Amino acid sequence: MSGLLEPVITAEELARRTAQLGAEISERYRGQDLLVVGVLKGAFMFLADLVRHISIPAHVDFVRVSSYGADVKPGELKFVQDLDSPCKGRHVLVVEDIVDTGNSMSMLLAELSQRGAASVRLCALIDKVERRKTQVTVDFPGFRLAKGFLVGYGLDFAEDYRCLPGVYELIQQEGP
Ligand code: IMP
Ligand code: MG
């Protein structure tokens, strides 16, 4: 199986939108204790660019979660890596690469609320609204896209393509 890459979002468009989101987030959280939580691995590049445009003091932490696999029951979320920081009383902004069915983010946001966060909001680079199975509000959406399997700018297919500076649709082709 080989793949064809079709450009979807250029590096310039990503930079422009990330700057807008950073400004919006800075306004929303001014004067509040902000904890930015990146969801590994997919959000690493987006988060690194986004926080450079957050002009208020913020702390950064990371989680790595899995909502599928042999050792995870349906409807459960496994923390492969949990936060170092406490959430209690803090304003938590989760930064995710793509919200697709919404299953993993609905569970993560609920868990962080349960830990006593003052607020839990979600910023996602890409919101695939049409694919939603579990209701999740993306408070700060980067781009709303319908479908297609996307790679680049942190997004992977079997760990490939993460380092591309833009977002591409991966079109699978049957090999000869
Ligand atoms: P869901 O919203 O629980 O279905 O899971 C979304 C997760 O699936 C994202 O955080 C990505 O890691 C992954 N994912 C969904 N769509 C894509 C895609 O188009 N490219 C790469 N990863 C994707
Ligand atoms: Mg992810």
Side-chain angles (χ1 to χ4, degrees):
M1 197 89 98
S2 63
L4 204 112
L5 295 178
E6 213 160 78
V8 177
I9 313 170
T10 65
E12 292 72 25
E13 287 168 329
L14 287 164
R16 208 174 314 128
R17 186 69 189 121
T18 304
Q20 288 169 346
L21 286 170
E24 218 180 293
I25 289 164
S26 306
E27 273 311 302
R28 176 75 74 96
Y29 289 97
R30 198 167 298 284
Q32 297 185 334
D33 179 10
L34 173 61
L35 175 65
V36 178
V37 173
V39 183
L40 294 172
K41 301 177 190 173
F44 83 97
M45 207 179 276
F46 175 47
L47 180 126
D49 286 342
L50 182 68
V51 293
R52 276 179 262 204
H53 294 285
I54 295 180
S55 57
I56 57 166
H59 286 190
V60 176
D61 205 342
F62 294 95
V63 286
R64 207 170 149 200
V65 293
S66 175
S67 55
Y68 58 91
D71 55 343
V72 188
K73 293 187 199 118
E76 254 184 25
L77 191 71
K78 182 184 168 195
F79 280 81
V80 179
Q81 181 186 319
D82 205 337
L83 292 174
D84 289 332
S85 326
C87 294
K88 201 167 171 51
R90 310 180 75 184
H91 294 274
V92 176
L93 177 66
V94 174
V95 177
E96 169 67 314
D97 55 358
I98 296 189
V99 181
D100 188 38
T101 64
N103 294 343
S104 39
M105 277 311 100
S106 70
M107 288 187 274
L108 178 63
L109 301 182
E111 168 64 26
L112 299 180
S113 289
Q114 267 200 341
R115 292 183 189 183
S119 70
V120 182
R121 293 194 183 93
L122 178 60
C123 174
L125 175 67
I126 291 158
D127 188 1
K128 285 185 179 170
V129 199
E130 290 178 19
R131 302 242 323 150
R132 205 69 97 249
K133 286 191 184 143
T134 307
Q135 201 275 330
V136 174
T137 302
V138 182
D139 303 279
F140 303 96
F143 299 87
R144 288 203 165 98
L145 298 176
K147 51 181 188 292
F149 194 84
L150 305 168
V151 296
Y153 197 63
L155 308 169
D156 75 309
F157 174 69
E159 294 300 324
D160 282 332
Y161 308 112
R162 281 197 204 278
C163 302
L164 296 173
V167 173
Y168 296 80
E169 183 174 351
L170 179 65
I171 296 157
Q172 295 281 11
Q173 293 182 313
E174 293 300 328

